[in-house]
Amino acid sequence: QVQLVESGGGLVQAGDSLRLSCVASASTYAMGWFRQAPGKEREFVAAISWNDGSTFYAEVVKGRFTISRDNAKNTVYLQMNRLKPEDTAVYYCAANPRITVYSDKYNYWGQGTQVTVSS
């Protein structure tokens, strides 16, 4: 079993930045970030492999968000720049043995952290 704990969410204005963190109980897993906005389905944001640095990004966040990890700290980060009101959602981190963009393939999930972007 892998336990995940997200943090770093908050209330910001459009154009601001936030960095989300997710601390895991193990490091040898691919990690992904997903989000769910009010009235919408959960959607993929970004993912990173555990060993070779491969990354995937949703098209709507390319150039603004960066996923990274520190395996020594069992932590994955999501740096979010130039935030938009459309980014408002609960953000979840997830872990899986293999990198994937599909939420239903991830085995472990955190509790989520709220990101609210005002205009």
Side-chain angles (χ1 to χ4, degrees):
Q1 299 295 312
V2 178
Q3 297 182 19
L4 307 171
V5 180
E6 303 100 328
S7 63
L11 174 62
V12 298
Q13 292 184 313
D16 286 352
S17 297
L18 281 174
R19 186 176 72 167
L20 306 183
S21 299
C22 176
V23 179
S25 60
S27 63
T28 57
Y29 289 83
M31 301 290 294
W33 285 99
F34 296 81
R35 66 188 185 186
Q36 186 167 17
K40 296 185 178 181
E41 297 295 319
R42 183 171 55 189
E43 66 177 353
F44 168 76
V45 176
I48 187 168
S49 65
W50 78 271
N51 61 338
D52 66 0
S54 298
T55 57
F56 296 144
Y57 292 95
E59 291 186 4
V60 294
V61 306
K62 286 182 179 178
R64 298 190 298 121
F65 291 9
T66 302
I67 188 170
S68 62
R69 67 188 301 161
D70 185 341
N71 287 343
K73 298 179 179 179
N74 290 355
T75 302
V76 63
Y77 304 96
L78 185 68
Q79 178 66 46
M80 305 184 293
N81 297 327
R82 302 190 301 280
L83 283 161
K84 304 175 181 179
E86 296 90 332
D87 296 317
T88 295
V90 176
Y91 283 71
Y92 300 90
C93 66
N96 194 71
R98 298 292 183 91
I99 189 169
T100 177
V101 304
Y102 299 108
S103 63
D104 60 358
K105 300 298 183 181
Y106 280 82
N107 296 325
Y108 309 103
W109 292 86
Q111 82 290 343
T113 185
Q114 177 71 48
V115 172
T116 302
V117 185
S118 65
S119 60

